């Protein structure tokens, strides 16, 4: 007798869960509320799909229950992800540990997943808005708008509220809560930060290598380095994304947050001071504005000089030691009060979600409702940039689907 499995959600984790369950011999129905599956996959990795990362470990993830992540990664390391997709037709390419499809197209990844769904006769229904899952005797009932489905097993792969321009609405949290699960409040992660400052429009569009550190109550709670993007609302870029979840958590607790930007991370303050001295000695005729040419983007240099309350037409040699130190401080410890993050629409993932202590880490089955399995971002696990969130989605999707579709 074929087992009847319903997968709710046609994102990365849901597609893999449906395939894994079908391969176990189950009849699988995939329900997606968008008009097509896999919309979020298409925008991952700037459309190139960073599928996983060879440098894998639980330290690249955040969760209230880190042991759960370790179980998943032990069961499904990067090699398994690459093997899974290679057998579907994707040739993985290693770019310094970051794994992409050789085609350079996220659409290729979605295409092979859809081909596999078709091969295994998975029924895909789009435009279906699932409201809740309830158990009636030995049957799981999936209640949707205007329709009800019955299943032996259900995989919830509904995603989070992040990137809701791709259709994510966070409805899975309510479904899980109705089953008795505890939900850690979802907040934007891997997202841009909004700052205060009347100079933001002046530096908008500048990209600069540097370090961003996040301070709450006088304590540094996160730090990262890379290309920082300066915007008319604040700051963006991968290093900003990496620290953003800590900002979300602090702001949720009403804790004042400061971002401190170091535009010269390879120099100490003293080294920077001496370096500027040498630039002046080489060209003593140059004004401060002129001395910055070739050192910093002009727009950024102008902001730093002005925020140091200096006249850009003046000469470095005419400044007092205190003024020189203040300019150096602007350059290696520029402080931005942060008042928020961008909305869920701009976030790549969310922190928070279903408490993983209430999920079996070896099967992804709910400990609150027998026969219900979880996959992907709906759970309280978020990774840093670099293919880690997609890896977690593929891995948990496969584990959940295999056990939902398999025989007891």
């Amino acid at each position: 007798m074929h087992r009847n499995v319903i997968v709710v959600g046609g994102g990365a984790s849901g597609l893999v869960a449906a395939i894994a369950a079908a391969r176990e011999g189950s009849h699988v129905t995939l329900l997606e509320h968008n008009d097509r599956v896999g919309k979020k996959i298409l925008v991952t990795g700037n459309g190139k799909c960073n599928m996983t990362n060879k440098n894998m470990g639980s330290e690249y993830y955040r969760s209230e229950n880190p042991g759960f992540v370790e179980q998943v990664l032990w069961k499904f390391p990067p090699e398994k992800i690459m093997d899974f997709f290679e057998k579907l037709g994707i040739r993985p390419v290693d770019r310094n540990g970051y794994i992409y499809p050789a085609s350079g197209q996220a659409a290729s990844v979605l295409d092979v997943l859809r081909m596999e769904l078709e091969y295994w006769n998975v029924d895909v229904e789009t435009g279906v808005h699932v409201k809740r899952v309830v158990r009636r005797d030995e049957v799981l009932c999936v209640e949707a708008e205007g329709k009800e489905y019955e299943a032996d097993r259900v995989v919830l792969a509904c995603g989070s509220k992040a990137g809701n321009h791709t259709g994510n609405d966070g409805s899975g949290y309510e479904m899980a809560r109705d089953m008795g699960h505890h939900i850690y409040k979802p907040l934007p992660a891997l997202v841009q930060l909004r700052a205060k400052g009347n100079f933001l429009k002046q530096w908008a569009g500048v990209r600069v290598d540097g370090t961003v550190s996040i301070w709450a109550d006088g304590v540094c709670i996160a730090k990262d380095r890379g290309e920082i993007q300066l915007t008319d609302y604040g700051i963006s870029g991968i290093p900003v994304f990496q620290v953003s979840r800590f900002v979300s958590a602090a702001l949720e607790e009403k804790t004042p947050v400061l971002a401190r930007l170091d535009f010269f991370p390879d120099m100490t303050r003293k080294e920077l001071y001496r370096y500027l001295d040498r630039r002046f000695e080489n060209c003593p005729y140059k004004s401060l504005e002129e001395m910055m040419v070739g050192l910093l983007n002009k727009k950024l240099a102008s902001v730093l000089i002005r925020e140091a309350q200096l006249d850009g037409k003046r000469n470095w040699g005419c400044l007092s030691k205190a003024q020189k130190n203040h300019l150096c401080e602007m350059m290696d410890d520029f402080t931005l009060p942060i008042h928020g993050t961008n909305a869920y629409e701009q976030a790549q993932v969310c922190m928070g979600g279903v408490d993983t202590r209430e999920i079996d880490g070896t099967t992804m089955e709910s400990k609150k409702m027998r026969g219900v399995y979880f996959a992907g971002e709906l759970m309280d696990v978020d990774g840093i940039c670099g293919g880690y969130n997609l890896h977690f989605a593929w891995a948990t999707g496969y584990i959940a689907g295999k056990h939902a579709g398999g025989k007891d």
Side-chain angles (χ1 to χ4, degrees):
M1 177 179 167
H2 289 298
R3 175 169 287 157
N4 187 27
V5 175
I6 288 179
V7 177
V8 182
S13 60
L15 293 173
V16 173
I19 290 167
R23 286 177 176 179
E24 292 297 314
S26 291
H27 174 263
V28 181
T29 303
L30 190 153
L31 306 178
E32 166 59 42
H33 67 260
N34 278 317
D35 57 355
R36 55 196 171 98
V37 299
K39 289 178 77 172
K40 194 173 178 181
I41 293 174
L42 295 175
V43 299
T44 58
N46 291 321
K48 296 179 180 178
C49 193
N50 184 185
M51 297 158 57
T52 182
N53 199 305
K54 280 192 172 179
N55 301 311
M56 187 58 62
S58 59
E59 65 271 23
Y60 299 111
Y61 293 88
R62 305 288 179 265
S63 173
E64 292 295 324
N65 179 25
F68 181 85
V69 179
E70 291 175 5
Q71 281 182 291
V72 171
L73 298 183
W74 179 81
K75 199 163 187 179
F76 228 91
E79 293 74 25
K80 276 197 174 183
I81 299 293
M82 289 186 281
D83 181 64
F84 173 80
F85 278 103
E86 191 151 24
K87 286 176 178 174
L88 293 185
I90 296 293
R91 184 168 73 86
V93 173
D94 184 347
R95 296 178 184 165
N96 298 317
Y98 298 78
I99 306 301
Y100 292 86
S103 65
Q105 295 177 298
S108 300
V109 176
L110 179 55
D111 284 344
V112 297
L113 289 170
R114 294 178 69 172
M115 291 176 205
E116 194 72 1
L117 291 176
E118 189 173 341
Y119 173 78
W120 288 102
N121 296 313
V122 173
D123 292 330
V124 178
E125 296 188 28
T126 57
V128 179
H129 299 273
V130 175
K131 295 300 181 183
R132 65 177 185 150
V133 179
V134 295
R135 176 170 282 285
R136 296 184 186 137
D137 297 323
E138 291 303 306
V139 178
L140 287 166
C141 297
V142 178
E143 299 177 0
E145 286 182 356
K147 195 170 183 181
E148 187 172 291
Y149 302 80
E150 290 188 350
D152 301 303
R153 302 281 175 86
V154 172
V155 179
L156 287 183
C158 317
S160 69
K161 293 173 73 173
N164 55 20
H165 62 284
T166 60
N168 293 357
D169 60 3
S171 58
Y173 300 130
E174 289 306 313
M175 290 185 228
R177 188 178 279 115
D178 287 344
M179 295 174 194
H181 280 279
H182 172 250
I183 309 295
Y184 289 105
K185 184 175 180 178
L187 297 169
L190 299 189
V191 68
Q192 305 87 347
L193 301 181
R194 305 190 72 83
K196 297 175 183 176
N198 56 14
F199 49 83
L200 297 177
K201 286 185 179 178
Q202 280 71 54
W203 77 6
V206 173
R207 295 170 180 251
V208 57
D209 182 69
T211 298
V212 55
S213 56
I214 301 300
W215 294 72
D217 275 342
V219 177
C220 181
I221 57 174
K223 186 176 182 179
D224 206 82
R225 178 175 175 172
E227 187 181 72
I228 301 168
Q229 297 175 24
L230 309 178
T231 72
D232 59 2
Y233 57 79
I235 50 176
S236 183
I238 289 178
V240 174
F241 284 10
Q242 306 289 44
V243 300
S244 60
R245 59 115 50 218
F246 300 99
V247 174
S248 285
L251 292 176
E252 179 66 17
E253 296 296 320
K254 310 298 183 188
T255 305
V257 174
L258 294 175
R260 294 166 69 169
L261 308 178
D262 184 353
F263 300 116
F264 291 87
D266 294 323
M267 294 188 196
T268 64
R269 178 79 54 82
K270 190 175 289 185
E271 288 169 341
L272 179 58
Y273 189 108
R274 289 173 181 163
Y275 180 69
L276 294 179
D277 261 343
R278 288 198 300 274
R279 286 179 75 84
F280 170 68
E281 288 168 5
N282 290 334
C283 302
Y285 56 86
K286 289 184 178 179
S287 67
L288 284 178
E289 287 177 349
E290 292 169 337
M291 196 174 86
M292 293 294 180
V293 174
L295 179 62
L296 283 170
N297 180 286
K298 272 190 177 183
K299 290 165 71 173
L300 176 57
S302 178
V303 168
L304 297 179
I305 291 169
R306 192 161 57 251
E307 290 301 303
Q309 300 180 321
L310 298 173
D311 180 356
K313 304 301 180 186
R314 291 188 68 190
N315 185 284
W316 172 263
C318 298
L319 302 182
S320 68
K321 188 172 183 179
Q323 288 174 317
K324 291 178 180 178
N325 273 320
H326 192 35
L327 180 57
C328 288
E329 183 183 355
M330 291 296 104
M331 297 168 75
D332 76 354
D333 192 15
F334 190 88
T335 301
L336 274 177
I338 302 296
H339 66 82
T341 70
N342 271 0
Y344 291 105
E345 286 91 341
Q346 284 78 45
Q348 292 185 16
V349 297
C350 281
M351 60 180 290
V354 179
D355 188 347
T356 56
R357 293 180 181 88
E358 300 168 352
I359 299 170
D360 186 327
T362 61
T363 65
M364 303 297 119
E365 186 173 14
S366 166
K367 295 179 181 178
K368 297 290 184 178
M369 186 176 287
R370 181 170 48 86
V372 174
Y373 298 75
F374 288 96
E377 206 180 316
L378 187 57
M379 295 180 280
D380 171 42
V381 176
D382 59 285
I384 66 171
C385 295
Y388 295 99
N389 290 293
L390 261 184
H391 178 99
F392 185 77
W394 311 130
T396 54
Y398 194 91
I399 295 168
K402 182 175 177 62
H403 285 88
K407 297 177 176 59
D408 293 323

